[in-house]
Amino acid sequence: MRVSFDYQTLISGVSLSGLVENSCFMPGSGASPARHTLSHTLLFPKASIHTDSSLLKSRRAGLTVDKLPQCELSVVSVEGCLVPENRSLIHCQIGDCFWSIVFSPGRTWSQLSDGGMSRATLPFQLCNVLENDTHHGLITFLFSDETVSFAYFQIVTETAPFLIEDSFDGWGVIKISKQTRINQRRMERVIRQYEKEKKDQLELQDIAYVSNKVPTSLLHDLIVGFGADTTIVSGLVIGNEIFTTDCHTRAGPFPLPRSMRFGIWSATKTAFATIAVLRLGQKFGEDCRGARIAELLPEAKDATQWNNVTIGHCLDMATAVGTVAPNKEVNDIFADYILDEATAKLSNDHKNSFDHYFSWFLARDQRTKNLAAVRCPRYPWAPGAISRYRDQDLYLAGAAMDAWLKKRQGTGATLVDLVLQEVYEVAGMHHVVKFETVETQSERKIPLTQSGLLLTIDNVARLGKLLQNDGVVEDQQLLSSALINEIFNPTVEKGLRTGKYTEDGEIHYCCATWHIPYRAKAGKLFWLPTMWGYGGQIIQLLPNGMVAFRFAHDSSETEERYDLLKFARIADALTPF
């Protein structure tokens, strides 16, 4: 690996041959403050992603995978930080690139050997609206008042991929060009928002700080036990501090952990869909879960299998819709969750389930997606009796909640704005990215509530604290306290059986949330509300007010084997349940 990017390398744009240490993207010895400022729009041209993997040579969903998207990004440098003005998902402006890109705050500085220029590094994530993995990277370049050098980028880790079947390293070089300077008002707005964001951040600490307070075996299991090699970062939120492991990548620790936004896959079901239920309940004084899907979505009106299915049934994974598991005595929540071609070949029912899933999954607009979601036949029992996990059902819950909201507040109201603006922003969760359907008319967009949420470590901490604080922020009741108690009270057994177990009992599922049994050291049995997503994405509320989290890239063979109680045991040792 290269020791550093020297001045001549950045000016000439010499090609890379592989990954370098992430530390090469950060200030070296003798670094000083940047000599110049940036308050400009930068043009990032489309660029080839070089890799040792053959995965990127093929296309996905008809799109090219081995290119960085062309985009424009306005940035403002302030006090050694480089802050993007646009922190949302930026789609490729031209061509057929598979990736969209999200930028996060980086650094600026100068080195004596850089010919009088300054340096910058920006973290980024690549993602796609059909996916919810995030491929994390860094990009670095030199700049002055007049020009910008070649830029080097690399992609070093990811949450679990799906359409792209495996992990990949990526690297390359591009020539950024400096465009127009942004005006003073925009600069001041970016700086003001960034200062508010920093103010809302909790103190970040190394997880080793708690090592002298818990049995060595518990921390050892966290760092080197099963799943440690596929964990990017994990930690505990305790009061106003976040205790984390290093952010592991294939090129060393990620140097800007607060700037990593993680695709959390099905943990979105709780973190967005359930939060929407709680906000609607507080705002309107009604529980939307009793509303019927067929009365809210035109595409379900003539699909008789949906006549008596409610939003609540969808959130409980209990719609009685499916093809593979007609024996209600078999308790297996994932029996209908057929996502790979090998399993699809087991029977015609398996193949039908697979085909139904992907006709829905690959649909981009709301109408096509709704129609695909409601086509599946139903089982012989009534809704609400048996849990069968289907992403389509959680998606329909979101589509129906959006329609329910519009009936009460008008067609301009959206579920995305309700959650992002009325909950997340007020709770101090800044720049959350939420995927939506892809529409030719923007007013047709609805959120993808089954997945498609990007959260930072700070976002997770604030979300957990909001729920642990009964939905209150600074004396403002954002979420229904009664519904929080019903769904998240860890002392009460709730929900439907799943056929999945921990050493302490059977896991249950209720309102898009997993409830994990844990018998505390003191002997009491708790049900830990857990947001759990593909590849090992976990956000868990603990009875002592702490919040545990993990972002990872577990394989489909190992993700269900990960011990969901690792952090519960550590938290229980710190402050007994």
Side-chain angles (χ1 to χ4, degrees), residues 339-401:
L339 307 185
D340 64 281
E341 292 183 349
T343 306
K345 293 177 181 178
L346 293 177
S347 72
N348 286 336
D349 286 340
H350 286 78
K351 179 65 163 56
N352 287 339
S353 180
F354 178 87
D355 289 344
H356 278 297
Y357 184 87
F358 279 95
S359 66
W360 164 80
F361 180 80
L362 295 174
R364 291 174 174 264
D365 65 279
Q366 177 187 174
R367 176 168 170 73
T368 307
K369 217 167 183 65
N370 289 359
L371 286 170
V374 302
R375 282 195 189 111
C376 194
R378 64 164 298 161
Y379 289 124
W381 55 80
I386 304 293
S387 61
R388 293 284 190 265
Y389 196 95
R390 285 171 23 97
D391 284 342
Q392 301 99 304
D393 294 346
L394 255 294
Y395 161 78
L396 287 172
M401 280 192 282

Side-chain angles (χ1 to χ4, degrees), residues 454-503:
L454 308 188
L455 297 180
T456 65
I457 291 171
D458 287 289
N459 293 156
V460 169
R462 286 292 178 183
L463 176 62
K465 287 174 70 67
L466 173 66
L467 290 169
Q468 295 284 37
N469 198 36
D470 203 32
V472 176
V473 173
E474 296 180 350
D475 298 325
Q476 184 178 355
Q477 189 76 49
L478 300 183
L479 308 176
S480 167
S481 176
L483 292 178
I484 288 177
N485 184 62
E486 176 190 331
I487 298 165
F488 291 99
N489 186 338
T491 66
V492 178
E493 180 180 347
K494 62 188 72 65
L496 295 169
R497 298 171 58 198
T498 65
K500 305 298 177 185
Y501 293 83
T502 71
E503 62 188 39

